[in-house]
Amino acid sequence: MTKETPLIALNHVSMDYGEGSESALALKDIDLTIEKNEFLCILGPSGCGKSTLLKIIAGYQKPTTGEATFQGKTITAPDWHRGVVFQSPTLYPWLSVKDNVGFGPRVRGIKKAKINQITDQFLDQIGLLKDKDKAVFDLSGGMRQRVALARVLANEPEMILMDEPLGALDALTRLNMQTLIRNLWHKNKNTVMMITHDVEEALSLGTRVIVMSKQPGTIIKSFDLNYTYQALETDNHRVKVDEQYLEIKNDILDLINADLNEV
Ligand SMILES: Nc1ncnc2c1ncn2[C@@H]1O[C@H](COP(=O)(O)OP(=O)(O)O)[C@@H](O)[C@H]1O
Ligand SMILES: [Mg+2]
């Protein structure tokens, strides 16, 4: 990969779920690049194609037109270099916490001692090392989501794709998980793309936020941010809300609302 090649590039990507005259356009002519180490947050009204965009980058979905590339190569299938975390953790209920986390490395044929080391490392990072022998059905929703994160991290992916990962969690757990996700991103130097419907979550985590229009989804605006770096430096890991923060938040809410109210 040359220095100029972005980690991810989408060129004129459209996704039409319909056939023939029955068009069901979900994404329309999306151009997007994601650079290494970015934390990109995606906001937009329900049904605007956010999950479709993520599935195309993950390799679960092939765009109808246009092209998506990873390190300059066309994305044709899912790949452990791009790990995905969904809203409901997709864990193997019959496996222990540590076996869930070690699953990917085991499938990839990594030696047992190395798997144990990787598993312990990431369970420690998510604060569940002491729970490694528990069954996943004994865990709370927040803990399960942490295991799902560790399972993706254990593959040491270039990129982590998250589709409303905190959407099902209560407000307090959610705040703690935001801090955890920010710290993991910073520590492991991953590239993250995260879909959320929470503007404050996007502002406090993202190095960039993009706002999408209602269906068919297009990118209406992109904001470069540094609140997540600020939060890394404060003791309480919270963003300092200043005038500019409130302006950006209002801008984003106006963009989403104006677009929804348009007849
Ligand atoms: N597999 C599919 N088949 C047909 N239509 C789909 C499929 N997946 C999503 N859609 C439609 O595409 C549009 C965008 O969906 P989605 O990407 O899930 O949006 P979001 O995640 O922003 O809510 C919606 O109108 C949805 O109904
Ligand atoms: Mg969705």
Side-chain angles (χ1 to χ4, degrees):
M1 190 170 68
T2 62
K3 213 171 171 1
E4 299 79 45
T5 311
L7 190 66
I8 297 285
L10 271 63
N11 301 313
H12 300 297
V13 162
S14 295
M15 183 71 218
D16 193 339
Y17 285 110
E19 277 185 30
S21 59
E22 299 287 302
S23 165
L25 199 57
L27 292 174
K28 189 179 166 189
D29 202 21
I30 302 276
D31 281 325
L32 174 68
T33 55
I34 306 175
E35 305 293 340
K36 210 169 156 48
N37 292 134
E38 271 199 86
F39 195 130
L40 176 66
C41 289
I42 314 264
L43 285 166
S46 178
C48 76
K50 302 181 294 298
S51 296
T52 300
L53 186 68
L54 181 137
K55 285 180 204 158
I56 288 171
I57 295 174
Y60 295 133
Q61 195 94 59
K62 193 177 170 299
T64 317
T65 55
E67 187 193 38
T69 63
F70 172 67
Q71 295 176 329
K73 296 190 193 82
T74 306
I75 296 168
T76 54
D79 179 329
W80 57 264
H81 289 300
R82 298 182 306 279
V84 184
V85 179
F86 294 102
Q87 181 169 342
S88 333
T90 44
L91 300 171
Y92 302 114
W94 61 91
L95 294 181
S96 66
V97 167
K98 76 168 186 297
D99 287 342
N100 265 284
V101 175
F103 189 83
R106 200 155 48 246
V107 168
R108 283 168 31 230
I110 290 174
K111 294 218 170 68
K112 204 167 171 200
K114 176 75 178 161
I115 295 176
N116 287 340
Q117 182 237 312
I118 293 173
T119 306
D120 281 5
Q121 177 190 341
F122 290 107
L123 281 173
D124 188 35
Q125 283 192 11
I126 59 152
L128 289 180
L129 188 54
K130 64 185 183 317
D131 302 289
K132 68 179 182 180
D133 293 314
K134 283 195 179 147
V136 293
F137 53 74
D138 280 336
L139 305 179
S140 68
M143 286 161 99
R144 281 185 204 179
Q145 201 54 305
R146 273 147 67 192
V147 176
L149 253 174
R151 196 172 64 163
V152 164
L153 289 167
N155 285 321
E156 301 187 82
E158 280 289 334
M159 180 157 199
I160 303 176
L161 300 160
M162 298 195 268
D163 197 345
E164 305 200 24
L166 311 183
L169 304 178
D170 65 84
L172 265 181
T173 308
R174 214 182 152 107
L175 280 180
N176 289 331
M177 284 291 286
Q178 288 172 4
T179 302
L180 178 73
I181 288 174
R182 182 190 298 112
N183 289 342
L184 291 173
W185 159 73
H186 186 68
K187 191 179 173 69
N188 299 314
K189 303 197 182 339
N190 295 116
T191 308
V192 174
M193 174 173 134
M194 175 169 162
I195 297 171
T196 172
H197 56 254
D198 181 339
V199 178
E200 300 213 354
E201 182 165 286
L203 291 181
S204 87
L205 288 176
T207 57
R208 180 160 57 121
V209 171
I210 61 174
V211 182
M212 290 175 64
S213 69
K214 67 173 189 283
Q215 191 183 0
T218 57
I219 294 172
I220 348 182
K221 198 157 176 181
S222 168
F223 297 84
D224 291 319
L225 304 169
N226 57 16
Y227 297 105
T228 197
Y229 295 117
Q230 283 179 20
L232 279 171
E233 283 160 19
T234 59
D235 290 338
N236 64 11
H237 304 296
R238 268 183 254 138
V239 162
K240 199 168 141 276
V241 174
D242 56 14
E243 219 164 288
Q244 187 208 25
Y245 175 100
L246 294 174
E247 268 172 35
I248 297 174
K249 182 181 164 190
N250 277 324
D251 269 3
I252 293 175
L253 289 171
D254 285 348
L255 279 171
I256 295 174
N257 286 330
D259 198 54
L260 282 177
N261 293 334
E262 211 177 84
V263 188

